[in-house]
Amino acid sequence: YQRRVRDNLRKMLLNRVARLLSPSLCRSNHTVTLFPGDGIGPQISESVKEIFAAAEVPITWEEHEVYPILEKNGKTRIPQPAIDSIFKNKIGLKGPMRTAIGKGHVSLNLTIRRTFGLYANVRPAKTVPGVKTPYSEEGVDCIIMRENTEGEYSGIEHTVVPGVVQSVKLITREASRNVAEYAFKYAVDNGRSNIVALHKANIMKMSDGTFLEECRAVAEKYPQIKYREMYLDSACLKIVKDPSQFDVMVMPNLYGDIFSDLTAGLIGGLGLAPSGNMGKDGIAIYEAVHGTADDLTAQNKGNPTALLTSGLMMLRHMELKSQADKIEAAVLETLKERKFVTGDIGGTATNPQYTAEICRKIRAAS
């Protein structure tokens, strides 16, 4: 009798331990800040949440609405609860946010980068199976490292005299060194062997010249990485002719904004392009870099792939590789089959149909 009691107690304890260690009860291990954004932002954010739930990703979402608050000194900030959430959680996922053109408040994207010191923007461009482009056969696999806080996007503008406006390009050694350091470390950590610094120092000798000086100084610490420099316009020509000659590229802010959109075009568009913003003190915010696509919101046709693959970058950063791999396999299979893809990449599916198919594949593989 005593032996049976002991055996039953042991089974009960083992069952309780198993339950406590089960993935479904560990979902609150990580809290991630979510800024759904505007336009299709809330729609594609819901898709990401559904897909992550299907993969039993151990995440609790902390959602915050982000909008501009104009202070008395003329500066723009975002709501304090959103700021506190990022500083507490150290990691976030962000949907697209609307920015007025030629008027109104400072870009919310720029405000967020400045608020959290997000000095490096990482934009991978890799061929997606099933998405046909002129480069599908040879393949594209490169990384854009964009300085994220200054340059022409510093927002320093004024009228000199009526009819004449001046915009200041701000380049500092610190910001240039930060993004260069991150680019070289990323290359080493990810098995990349070649870095190209893009510039126009032949014209902007002091500003782009300072950027190059810092890149060269950092390159000396990494003799195992081949470093070279190239004019921005020349790089645009060469990557369109032969993407295989590029690996990791590092560049100032405006150049990175333009060049990363170009490389997104090589793989099928911004709807497929992931992005991550790396900051000081371990803060990282991942985002979809496409616009709000307001015209697609009511039609329920927003493509969540860019935000989803940005989320996969986030999961790997959080060392949740197995969940990221599981989701990625389902996404790639869905895109390759092309039965449930959205209109921006040649399909007819709605957002819910595309999302449901990825969830179905994840559950089937579990």
Side-chain angles (χ1 to χ4, degrees):
Y1 173 78
Q2 289 179 336
R3 188 182 299 117
R4 285 202 306 272
V5 170
R6 283 198 303 269
D7 288 344
N8 287 336
L9 285 171
R10 189 164 62 89
K11 288 178 182 177
M12 288 172 61
L13 287 171
L14 289 173
N15 287 336
R16 173 161 297 190
V17 170
R19 286 185 64 222
L20 289 172
L21 294 178
S22 70
S24 62
L25 293 175
C26 294
R27 291 183 182 178
S28 61
N29 284 359
H30 305 270
T31 302
V32 174
T33 302
L34 176 63
F35 298 156
D38 305 313
I40 63 169
Q43 181 184 127
I44 61 178
S45 295
E46 283 300 316
S47 293
V48 172
K49 289 164 65 178
E50 286 181 37
I51 292 166
F52 277 30
E56 296 187 321
V57 178
I59 278 179
T60 295
W61 299 101
E62 194 171 285
E63 288 191 39
H64 290 276
E65 184 181 356
V66 174
Y67 50 86
I69 298 173
L70 187 62
E71 297 186 310
K72 291 180 180 179
N73 60 7
K75 293 184 178 180
T76 302
R77 67 175 179 88
I78 63 174
Q80 193 61 44
I83 296 174
D84 294 340
S85 179
I86 289 289
F87 279 125
K88 175 174 65 76
N89 299 327
K90 301 293 185 183
I91 193 151
L93 187 65
K94 169 186 163 301
M97 293 183 179
R98 194 176 293 109
T99 298
I101 299 175
K103 60 181 180 179
H105 60 81
V106 173
S107 161
L108 281 174
N109 295 318
L110 181 57
T111 301
I112 288 171
R113 291 169 198 153
R114 287 175 175 171
T115 301
F116 302 111
L118 303 173
Y119 59 85
N121 178 239
V122 185
R123 290 274 297 270
K126 188 172 183 178
T127 296
V128 180
V131 179
K132 191 172 182 180
T133 74
Y135 304 92
S136 296
E137 291 186 10
E138 59 202 82
V140 177
D141 184 9
C142 60
I143 307 289
I144 287 78
M145 293 285 179
R146 166 190 172 189
E147 197 291 314
N148 218 15
T149 62
E150 54 181 30
E152 292 87 346
Y153 289 0
S154 300
I156 306 172
E157 295 183 308
H158 62 273
T159 299
V160 181
V161 294
V164 180
V165 176
Q166 186 177 58
S167 181
V168 177
K169 175 176 179 173
L170 180 69
I171 296 287
T172 66
R173 289 195 179 277
E174 180 183 7
S176 301
R177 184 166 55 252
N178 284 342
V179 71
E181 288 277 10
Y182 188 85
F184 277 89
K185 185 178 184 304
Y186 181 96
V188 172
D189 292 346
N190 292 274
R192 302 275 178 165
S193 59
N194 191 310
I195 287 184
V196 183
L198 303 190
H199 67 96
K200 286 297 290 181
N202 56 326
I203 306 299
M204 287 164 277
K205 301 179 187 298
M206 294 182 69
S207 56
D208 283 20
T210 296
F211 180 82
L212 289 181
E213 286 171 8
E214 292 302 319
C215 288
R216 292 165 189 163
V218 173
E220 290 179 2
K221 304 177 191 177
Y222 295 86
Q224 71 273 40
I225 302 293
K226 182 181 178 182
Y227 170 74
R228 56 199 173 113
E229 298 166 0
M230 190 178 296
Y231 293 142
L232 172 69
D233 44 351
S234 177
C236 290
L237 171 65
K238 290 181 178 180
I239 198 168
V240 170
K241 291 179 68 177
D242 180 14
S244 67
Q245 62 186 301
F246 292 94
D247 193 356
V248 177
M249 291 155 279
V250 61
M251 62 204 78
N253 202 341
L254 174 64
Y255 306 162
D257 191 9
I258 297 169
F259 199 82
S260 57
D261 277 15
L262 186 155
T263 55
L266 303 182
I267 65 168
L270 288 173
L272 300 169
S275 172
N277 300 285
M278 318 311 296
K280 298 177 181 178
D281 302 320
I283 290 176
I285 299 179
Y286 296 83
E287 65 177 340
V289 294
H290 55 69
T292 55
D294 299 276
D295 56 317
L296 297 178
T297 304
Q299 302 175 50
N300 225 6
K301 293 182 178 180
N303 181 359
T305 306
L307 189 64
L308 181 57
T309 51
S310 298
L312 300 186
M313 288 177 67
M314 180 186 76
L315 293 184
R316 292 183 171 113
H317 173 80
M318 299 167 67
E319 299 184 354
L320 297 172
K321 186 177 183 299
S322 61
Q323 291 92 338
D325 290 346
K326 184 191 298 185
I327 295 169
E328 184 175 56
V331 172
L332 293 178
E333 189 179 350
T334 302
L335 291 171
K336 191 173 182 179
E337 289 176 355
R338 300 197 60 76
K339 294 178 181 177
F340 296 96
V341 297
T342 52
D344 58 310
I345 48 177
T348 59
T350 62
N351 169 283
Q353 290 172 331
Y354 177 64
T355 301
E357 180 63 14
I358 293 173
C359 290
R360 187 190 69 77
K361 283 180 165 55
I362 290 171
R363 294 188 181 105
S366 298

